Amino acid sequence: MKKLYFLLSTFFFALALYGQDLNPNNSHALLGSCLDPDEGTVTITLDLGENCPEADPNGVLPGTMELGFHSGANDWGAIAQWDGANAATWVNDGNDIFTLTLNTMDYWGVPFADMNNIRIVGNNGIADPGDPWTIFVKDSVDAELFGNIDVCSDLVIWFDKTPTCSDLNQESSLSLFSDAGDTESCVDEADGLVFIEVDYALNCLEADANMDMAGAAELGFHSGINNWAASVEWDNPNAMKLVNDGNDNFSVLIDVAEYYGVPFGDVTNIQFKGNLGPGAGDPWAASLADPRGGGPFGDQCSDIIMVLAEAPVCDLETSTIDKQLQHSFKLSPNPFHNRTFLEFDNPNNAVFDLEISNMSGQVVRTMSGISGERVLIERDGLPTGMFIARMTDADGNFATTKLVVK
């Protein structure tokens, strides 16, 4: 009998593991979850609006005051039943956001340092203990379970993909949109676009003590969505840049689904930092950051955060040309001695004007009527130093880049 029990236990545990391979990221519904390594705790926040629709087809759970919390540490290696004597419950804050903080050792018997993940299935057992498993809280990720494809799978929070709680600022950074910030950051939900503009004047002072970023044509853009659940590294070949408008406002236009691979409707925030980019010996010698302290080491500066629900709404459809133009805009060679070529995508043969300005903002050269995709720039008396090259078409679409003369 003991042997049969052991074999059955092993079989069902293997099935639990087998069904989870298709969920390599933190579940979309677990937004804002975070870790506190010093306390050995994890805060798990559920946005019920992100629940798998098939798990609650009749919409019974919204408005429920408490949900059953059925969970396991390290791929169900240590299980806490939802109806156990000491079971935690998810409590509604009134907006269908459910949050609880648990000590991993006290709750699952696993030291924090040994934690890899927590898998969770919520239920309506608190409201309906007689039939708790008719309605679930699950993830909208297909997974194979018991030999069948499940359209909903267990919620999962991976520790190596979850920020520490001190990393999380709950409100958008002042440098993005506020009475103090001279920016136009906004969102276009209809087209799934986000325009981010950072006012350098509100940068964290310690992040760029020597003001190396002031006047830079562009900066590296190191970013992630939903508290870094999905990210694009600044040195990724497809990474976008933060572009200077000439007044030290750095901006980027993002097609969210295309850039991060997550639907616009599933994104609550974008966190990011700017750096000096690949041309610098030490790209992180200076950065764009938020003056509100934080970070895993108690930094004086923390990640800049844009909470999409706090952003003004705008129509960004016509600005997609800016994004495409800037993404292709490059000089080769750069720096240069005698001449360089400016190359950019111009499939519709739009006509552009080129301005070259010095770092004081003075225009030192102009070229008009550019309709191709390659422009020769001769030194022709330009002194040694750094300049800003800016291309603009008749509709105001533009791109800029840094030009260095040796």
Side-chain angles (χ1 to χ4, degrees), residues 56-377:
D56 182 16
N58 297 317
V60 174
L61 294 181
T64 302
M65 294 311 299
E66 292 182 282
L67 298 175
F69 184 76
H70 189 81
S71 61
N74 297 339
D75 297 316
W76 299 102
I79 300 175
Q81 305 286 348
W82 73 273
D83 56 354
N86 299 313
T89 59
W90 259 330
V91 180
N92 197 333
D93 72 348
N95 297 299
D96 287 337
I97 303 295
F98 298 77
T99 300
L100 75 164
T101 299
L102 297 170
N103 183 287
T104 65
M105 187 65 193
D106 292 345
Y107 196 68
W108 292 283
V110 179
F112 184 91
D114 294 339
M115 290 291 294
N116 178 270
N117 65 64
I118 298 170
R119 297 195 183 274
I120 307 156
V121 179
N123 69 16
N124 66 329
I126 306 302
D128 186 9
D131 196 2
W133 293 112
T134 56
I135 301 170
F136 301 88
V137 178
K138 286 208 167 191
D139 189 21
S140 300
V141 175
D142 295 352
E144 189 167 351
L145 191 63
F146 301 112
N148 299 307
I149 295 294
D150 233 354
V151 292
C152 306
S153 59
D154 300 345
L155 297 163
V156 62
I157 180 168
W158 297 92
F159 275 41
D160 64 352
K161 296 181 180 179
T162 303
T164 58
C165 297
S166 58
D167 282 335
L168 303 180
N169 285 313
Q170 302 303 313
E171 297 177 343
S172 294
S173 303
L174 289 176
S175 60
L176 296 176
F177 38 85
S178 69
D179 292 339
D182 179 23
T183 66
E184 298 180 356
S185 299
C186 61
V187 297
D188 181 349
E189 183 174 359
D191 293 309
L193 302 173
V194 174
F195 180 70
I196 296 176
E197 188 171 31
V198 185
D199 184 352
Y200 176 78
L202 296 178
N203 192 36
C204 180
L205 296 177
E206 293 81 3
D208 186 13
N210 297 319
M211 298 187 69
D212 293 328
M213 291 183 162
E218 60 185 25
L219 302 173
F221 182 61
H222 189 82
S223 64
I225 57 167
N226 299 341
N227 305 324
W228 297 98
S231 62
V232 179
E233 308 292 313
W234 70 272
D235 55 355
N236 184 299
N238 297 315
M240 303 188 76
K241 302 290 192 297
L242 287 159
V243 180
N244 196 334
D245 70 352
N247 296 301
D248 283 343
N249 286 337
F250 293 89
S251 65
V252 61
L253 178 67
I254 306 168
D255 183 319
V256 171
E258 175 187 316
Y259 196 60
Y260 298 108
V262 176
F264 181 92
D266 291 345
V267 176
T268 59
N269 65 60
I270 298 176
Q271 290 191 355
F272 65 95
K273 283 192 174 181
N275 70 12
L276 294 172
D282 179 4
W284 290 108
S287 62
L288 284 181
D290 191 327
R292 299 174 298 175
F297 307 108
D299 298 336
Q300 294 172 297
C301 310
S302 59
D303 300 339
I304 295 174
I305 182 171
M306 180 173 177
V307 180
L308 301 196
E310 296 176 359
V313 176
C314 57
D315 181 3
L316 294 169
E317 185 174 5
T318 58
S319 297
T320 55
I321 299 173
D322 292 351
K323 181 186 71 170
Q324 295 164 355
L325 181 64
Q326 185 63 50
H327 194 60
S328 67
F329 207 51
K330 62 183 179 181
L331 283 161
S332 181
N334 191 30
F336 72 98
H337 285 287
N338 299 316
R339 62 181 59 86
T340 187
F341 287 94
L342 174 63
E343 298 177 345
F344 59 99
D345 289 342
N346 189 17
N348 297 320
N349 294 317
V351 178
F352 289 88
D353 294 332
L354 170 65
E355 284 187 351
I356 299 176
S357 304
N358 61 26
M359 300 312 293
S360 299
Q362 180 185 7
V363 177
V364 296
R365 183 175 301 171
T366 61
M367 297 174 66
S368 301
I370 299 168
S371 59
E373 294 189 335
R374 196 165 191 252
V375 182
L376 172 63
I377 300 176

